């Protein structure tokens, strides 16, 4: 029997003990994301001062991959500029498509544990939910 | 709480001679080392059914009901004899009452459209249960909108039980159509169609039964139940995908307008209109799925060869064992009755703290196939207060050994998700 599962410790830990799953009172960026296939939903909130993401949080519910991925993303982008966050998001989304260099993978830190999800097309939408939501949020900001 | 099956089940009889004999009929089951527990979504197909479908194309293939040559007549004969096999299987009064469709969904859409046109006027009521599959819900929502009718819901309790008072109060003299599933694809519970038909007919309503989950598992006799319509799908009863059935009482079918129009369903056409064909062809526009119908007839012969006694005995035994073992796992909560006989092979459940998609994924890593999600019953999920659930569903070809594999994987699931147990 094939017994390997994709749920390693980093993932389950972020799912069960998320650091950033809470409200954020002073947020100035906010966006909802939904993945209808799993019924995953998150509300992402960020505090951005002078182009730097100084704080971030999310609330929502859904499968472990969607929730853990959002938590891991926040770990990575808090303290970075908007542009830097968008660049990391681009790397992350390329990683999922299997198009990434080893150096880039390293930049993703813990988020790189989601690399193997590219073999599970049904779960890709879960993994990218938080990242897509962030991209949408910044894109919308640019347009307005 | 659960019935103790240990008194009845010898645990040594796993993968018995009988298991092996039955499973030898199903090519796919022998191809993979997998416990296929998603039978409520679609069943596997025995070799005889696959051969029958192939044989149609190898030996009978011509457009049925059209050609005047021998081969076309053979194709027609094959197709029409499949209809008689279906008629006898559900004990319909005449083959004119059997309409071939693609699946239960199409049968129900046909009805909502055509029966809706015949019966519904502004202010009339349609009553459906809250446990209906979207396929027996959305068509009626549309029909209600189209005809200015009111759609009412018959509620059930957390075990899927519907009380007599609820039926009597929602179904009234204003109700023209009642659509109700015979076996729920979430609870697995059998609803008493005979009793429901009595209530409907007393109040002047027509009863549409959704047999998608019942016809594959229990004997269904449309005349004994006195349902006015019955819809079901071939693919859930060991037949190919793409063939389904609508049974309807002739008195209604005669009066109903056609659903799809085009080839085959007419007697004559002029520039202004058409004279429609006799039943059942009035409702079968275009080239039909004759090979699928032949496959369905073979699936019925296969079911009859195994026998519903054997099918029910095996499915109930698997369900009882699975429910009993699941009852021992903390954090696992089964939806529906505690009585295994009220499940008809369907066990819908949740695992506390683990999202159903994660449950299904972890089971899948252990080669166990189950369904996760809302099971096309979102209003019911909401009514039960769950976002989504996981469902294991058995067919008679499943084995106790497969249940063991499922239980072993389920036991270890929370630990794999990082819970310290
Ligand atoms: C109770 C019930 N009704 C209707 C359907 C629809 O069947 P099909 O998809 O074959 O049309 C299903 C299938 O899942 C079902 O379980």
């Amino acid at each position: 029997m094939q017994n390997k599962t994709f749920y390693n410790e980093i993932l389950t830990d972020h799912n069960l003990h998320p650091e950033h799953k809470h409200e954020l009172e002073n947020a100035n960026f906010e966006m909802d994301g939904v993945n209808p296939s799993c019924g995953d939903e998150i509300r992402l909130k960020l505090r951005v001062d002078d182009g730097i993401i100084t704080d971030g949080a999310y609330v929502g519910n859904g499968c472990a991959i969607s929730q853990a991925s959002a938590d891991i993303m926040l770990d990575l982008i808090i303290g970075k500029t908007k542009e830097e966050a968008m660049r990391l998001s681009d790397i992350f989304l390329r990683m999922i498509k299997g198009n990434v260099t080893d150096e880039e993978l390293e930049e993703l830190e813990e988020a790189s544990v989601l690399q193997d999800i590219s073999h599970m097309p049904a779960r890709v939408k879960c993994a990218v939910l938080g990242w897509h939501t962030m991209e949408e949020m910044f894109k919308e900001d640019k347009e307005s | 709480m659960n019935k103790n099956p240990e008194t009845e089940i010898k645990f040594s009889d796993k993968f018995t001679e009988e298991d092996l004999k039955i499973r030898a009929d199903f090519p796919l089951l022998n191809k993979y080392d997998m416990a296929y527990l998603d039978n409520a979504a679609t069943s596997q197909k025995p070799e005889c059914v696959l051969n029958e479908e192939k044989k149609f194309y190898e030996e009978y293939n011509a457009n049925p009901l059209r050609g005047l040559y021998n081969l076309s007549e053979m194709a027609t004969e094959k197709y029409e004899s499949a209809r008689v096999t279906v008629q006898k299987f559900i004990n319909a009064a005449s083959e004119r009452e059997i309409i071939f469709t693609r699946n239960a969904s199409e049968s129900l859409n046909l009805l909502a459209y055509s029966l809706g046109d015949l019966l519904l006027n502004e202010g009339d009521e349609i009553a459906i249960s809250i446990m209906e599959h979207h396929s027996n819900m959305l068509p009626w929502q549309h029909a209600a909108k189209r005809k200015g009718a009111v759609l009412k819901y018959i509620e059930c309790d957390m075990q899927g039980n519907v009380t007599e008072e609820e039926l009597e109060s929602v179904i009234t003299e204003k109700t023209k159509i009642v659509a109700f599933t015979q076996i729920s694809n979430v609870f697995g519970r059998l609803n008493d169609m005979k009793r429901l038909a009595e209530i409907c007919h007393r109040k002047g309503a027509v009863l549409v039964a959704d047999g998608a989950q019942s016809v594959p598992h229990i004997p269904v006799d449309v005349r004994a139940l006195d349902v006015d319509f019955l819809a079901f799908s071939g693919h859930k009863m060991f037949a190919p995908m793409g063939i389904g059935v609508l049974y309807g009482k002739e008195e209604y079918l005669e009066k109903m307008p056609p659903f799809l129009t085009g080839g085959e369903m007419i007697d004559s056409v002029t520039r202004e209109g058409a004279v429609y064909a006799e039943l059942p062809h009035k409702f079968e526009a275009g080239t039909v799925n004759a090979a699928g119908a032949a496959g369905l007839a073979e699936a019925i012969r296969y079911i009859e060869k195994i026998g519903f006694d054997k099918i029910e005995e095996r499915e109930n035994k698997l369900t009882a064992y699975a429910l009993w073992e699941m009852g021992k796992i903390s954090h696992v909560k089964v939806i529906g009755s505690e009585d295994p006989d009220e499940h008809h092979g369907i066990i819908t459940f949740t695992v506390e703290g683990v999202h159903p998609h994660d449950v299904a994924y972890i089971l899948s890593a252990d080669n166990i196939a189950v369904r996760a999600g809302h099971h096309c019953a979102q209003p019911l999920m909401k009514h039960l207060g769950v976002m989504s659930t996981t469902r294991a569903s058995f067919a008679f070809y499943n084995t106790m050994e497969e249940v063991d594999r499922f239980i072993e994987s389920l036991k270890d699931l929370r630990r794999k998700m990082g819970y310290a147990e």
Side-chain angles (χ1 to χ4, degrees), chain B residues 200-230:
Chain B
C200 291
H201 296 157
R202 170 154 49 78
K203 309 219 178 178
V206 162
L207 175 59
V208 174
D210 178 353
Q213 296 295 346
S214 55
V215 175
H217 299 280
I218 58 168
V220 175
D221 178 331
V222 289
R223 274 190 284 176
L225 298 176
D226 201 23
V227 294
D228 301 298
F229 295 92
L230 176 76

Side-chain angles (χ1 to χ4, degrees), chain B residues 2-3 40 158-160 182-191 213-214 217-218 312 315-324 326 333-349 391-394:
Chain B
N2 292 332
K3 264 192 202 166
M158 300 305 274
Q159 270 77 48
Q182 189 173 13
I183 288 181
S184 149
N185 65 318
V186 173
F187 297 113
R189 196 181 197 111
L190 178 67
N191 295 306
Q213 296 295 346
S214 55
H217 299 280
I218 58 168
E312 286 186 79
E315 288 174 354
N316 289 347
K317 189 167 131 178
L318 294 164
T319 313
Y321 179 42
L323 279 178
W324 176 253
M326 287 168 87
K333 193 170 155 283
V334 172
I335 295 194
S337 173
E338 286 170 356
D339 181 352
D341 292 347
E342 290 280 11
H343 279 270
H344 300 89
I346 290 174
I347 304 180
T348 301
F349 63 97
R391 179 184 70 192
S393 54
F394 303 112

Side-chain angles (χ1 to χ4, degrees), chain B residues 5-21:
Chain B
E6 287 184 285
T7 50
E8 291 143 32
I9 294 167
K10 292 193 298 299
F11 291 103
S12 55
D13 65 1
K14 290 167 187 171
F15 256 115
T16 58
E17 289 284 310
E18 185 180 270
D19 290 345
L20 292 170
K21 194 159 159 283

